[in-house]
Each structure stands twice: as C-alpha cells, then as structure tokens.
Amino acid sequence: MVRSSSSDDELRAAVAARRELGPEYEDSLVEGFLEKMDQEIDRRVDDRIAARSRKDAPAVRPSVDAGQRLALSIISLVFGVPATAGIATSTDGGIVLILILWLGIVGVNATFALGRRR
C-alpha cells in the first residue's frame, strides 16, 4: 500500500534525523512524527466515513420516509375511524363492510411500507 510506505518513510526519516541530531532532539522528533501519524489517521478515518456514507446513502432521506409513513397512518385513521362509525350505525350487516374497509386500509399501508424497503 502506498500510504503505509509513506508512513514507513516518515518513521525512517525521523530515526535518521534523531541519529544526526542526537538524543537532545528526540522529544521534538517523536512529537512531530506522532503529529503526522495523527493527521494520517484522521485523514483515513474521514476517507472511510465518506466512502461509507456514499455507499450506504439511502435513495430517500430517512426523515422524509418516516414522515410519509406517519402521514399515511394518520390519514388512514382519519378516514377509517369515521367510516367504521358510519357503517356500524347505518347498517345491520356492517361487520363485513367494516372488515373489508380495514383490510383495505391495512393493505394500502403494508404495500406502502414494503414498497419503500425496496
């Protein structure tokens, strides 16, 4: 890997400089080397985070998707509950109509939820 050879080169340069300058400069050479390594690690982490966010980026932002699901749920209840009350009070055999109504509502919500996963 080119990056590790760059790190190897940095280490070799620090060791060579220490040999030339002597032990009195060792602390500053080590600090300089560690600072460069910290910068390299930060850069690599940033590169990995950027690559992961590009690869895993959803087609739709999660907040938008969650908002759409919430809106569909609210609309389903706003129409479903009054329709159920209306059917229950107006007909004797309303249980079948209520069942059909709620199966339709559940079907629409399930289709939406499953379709969003793909």
Side-chain angles (χ1 to χ4, degrees):
M1 204 179 215
V2 173
R3 289 185 182 131
S4 76
S5 69
S6 174
S7 300
D8 293 344
D9 293 342
E10 291 287 337
L11 181 57
R12 285 187 186 98
V15 170
R18 194 271 186 205
R19 285 184 191 138
E20 289 178 24
L21 296 174
E24 57 272 358
Y25 292 99
E26 185 171 336
D27 289 342
S28 61
L29 290 170
V30 169
E31 286 176 18
F33 175 75
L34 292 177
E35 185 177 317
K36 288 180 183 179
M37 291 302 103
D38 283 342
Q39 291 171 355
E40 177 67 15
I41 290 169
D42 289 344
R43 187 189 61 74
R44 288 183 187 188
V45 169
D46 291 343
D47 289 349
R48 286 184 184 167
I49 289 171
R52 183 172 293 155
S53 67
R54 284 190 303 267
K55 181 172 50 172
D56 296 339
V60 177
R61 292 186 320 236
S63 60
V64 171
D65 192 38
Q68 290 174 340
R69 283 189 309 234
L70 178 63
L72 181 60
S73 300
I74 291 170
I75 290 170
S76 296
L77 290 174
V78 165
F79 286 111
V81 171
T84 301
I87 293 170
T89 58
S90 68
T91 62
D92 290 334
I95 192 74
V96 173
L97 290 176
I98 292 172
L99 184 63
I100 292 170
L101 169 72
W102 282 102
L103 285 174
I105 290 172
V106 168
V108 167
N109 282 277
T111 301
F112 179 81
L114 293 174
R116 299 305 288 178
R117 288 185 186 165
R118 295 182 196 144

